[in-house]
Amino acid sequence: MKTLLVEDDPLLGQGIQDALSYNGYRVEWVQNGRQALSFAESAEFDVMVLDLGLPDLDGLAVLKQLRTQQFDTPILILTARDSTEEKVAGLDLGADDYMVKPFDLPELMARLRALQRRESQQRAPTLRHADIEINPANHTVLQGNTPVALSRHEFNLLHYLMARPEQVFSRQALADKLYSWDQDVGSNTVEVYIHHLRKKLGKDIVQTVRGIGYKLGGAPD
Ligand code: CA
């Protein structure tokens, strides 16, 4: 998960960066409001941790400007300001969560996970096709009510097809897609993954369109 950390206190910033990195987050750490704005504009982040007391722009001004620019990454405010007015202002300006310093790292981690869950549920709703239900937020697949174990690439491929049920894809288009997820995939992997999907979910899950490629199988009547 790519995180933009905005914190001007060097010790605290370092501590949070270390903790996030240790938990598998990729962290860009900036120490003032202007840098926060330019980083937020230049790259995609999954979550932002924003201090309010910054040396140049106030964190609330940063927040306001980002939300005005349709920056929709979840933002958690992490600040020493603990008045109700400040919390209300932060949340009303578009922050998704508000934590007061001093704080416990495990709670920060838990809140970031909660933000991420909420976000992925909004961005990637559950999809259904025939008796198959796929939930991108928690990477589960049900057939009927039975969980089906898929590898990461099988899951990605199925999700990609289910999100585009009418579309026919050439073998090459699917190979390019797989390659964009993982540059280590080999050249015959499209056939391999489709074979696995058919084996696990029934042969009709993917339809071969002769001379063209593949599409999601038709739903039975
Ligand atoms: Ca500060």
Side-chain angles (χ1 to χ4, degrees):
M1 188 143 87
K2 201 169 168 198
T3 308
L4 180 56
L5 169 63
V6 188
E7 174 58 68
D8 64 313
D9 180 312
L11 267 182
L12 186 56
Q14 189 65 56
I16 299 172
Q17 182 180 41
D18 290 348
L20 287 168
S21 304
Y22 181 77
N23 282 278
Y25 292 65
R26 281 184 295 149
V27 185
E28 294 283 1
W29 171 25
V30 299
Q31 306 196 19
N32 64 56
R34 296 204 188 283
Q35 273 187 322
L37 287 175
S38 86
F39 269 74
E41 283 157 19
S42 67
E44 285 275 323
F45 291 93
D46 299 305
V47 72
M48 178 171 178
V49 177
L50 177 64
D51 182 23
L52 293 186
L54 296 169
D56 51 354
L57 288 173
D58 189 82
L60 288 177
V62 172
L63 174 64
K64 188 173 180 185
Q65 185 160 338
L66 288 174
R67 290 310 192 212
T68 309
Q69 294 165 350
Q70 317 296 328
F71 176 83
D72 60 1
T73 298
I75 298 178
L76 181 149
I77 291 178
L78 184 58
T79 178
R81 299 182 195 164
D82 61 355
S83 74
T84 302
E85 290 78 11
E86 296 271 9
K87 287 181 193 167
V88 169
L91 294 168
D92 278 350
L93 283 172
D96 298 272
D97 201 355
Y98 195 107
M99 259 186 103
V100 175
K101 299 170 185 168
F103 63 98
D104 290 322
L105 276 168
E107 184 181 350
L108 174 64
M109 294 299 151
R111 285 178 183 242
L112 291 178
R113 286 194 297 274
L115 278 185
Q116 185 62 17
R117 267 199 311 274
R118 220 181 299 159
E119 178 71 4
S120 56
Q121 273 157 5
Q122 278 167 4
R123 286 199 178 184
T126 299
L127 299 176
R128 285 180 189 82
H129 172 71
D131 62 344
I132 294 162
E133 183 179 304
I134 182 166
N135 183 337
N138 57 16
H139 260 240
T140 53
V141 179
L142 293 177
Q143 187 165 34
N145 285 318
T146 311
V148 181
L150 296 184
S151 73
R152 190 162 54 91
H153 290 326
E154 290 160 12
F155 184 94
N156 287 342
L157 183 59
L158 178 64
H159 181 242
Y160 188 71
L161 293 172
M162 280 178 68
R164 298 157 185 82
E166 300 304 325
Q167 208 170 326
V168 180
F169 298 94
S170 68
R171 195 197 147 280
Q172 189 57 47
L174 293 181
D176 291 347
K177 204 69 218 170
L178 281 165
Y179 185 76
S180 76
W181 295 323
D182 180 357
Q183 307 200 338
D184 284 335
V185 299
S187 60
N188 63 345
T189 42
V190 171
E191 286 86 348
V192 172
Y193 289 127
I194 287 175
H195 175 73
H196 289 172
L197 287 177
R198 284 173 169 159
K199 216 165 141 188
K200 293 180 177 179
L201 295 165
K203 66 177 171 41
D204 294 333
I205 184 66
V206 180
Q207 185 185 334
T208 301
V209 183
R210 267 187 214 297
I212 304 176
Y214 302 98
K215 73 188 282 285
L216 188 69
D221 296 328

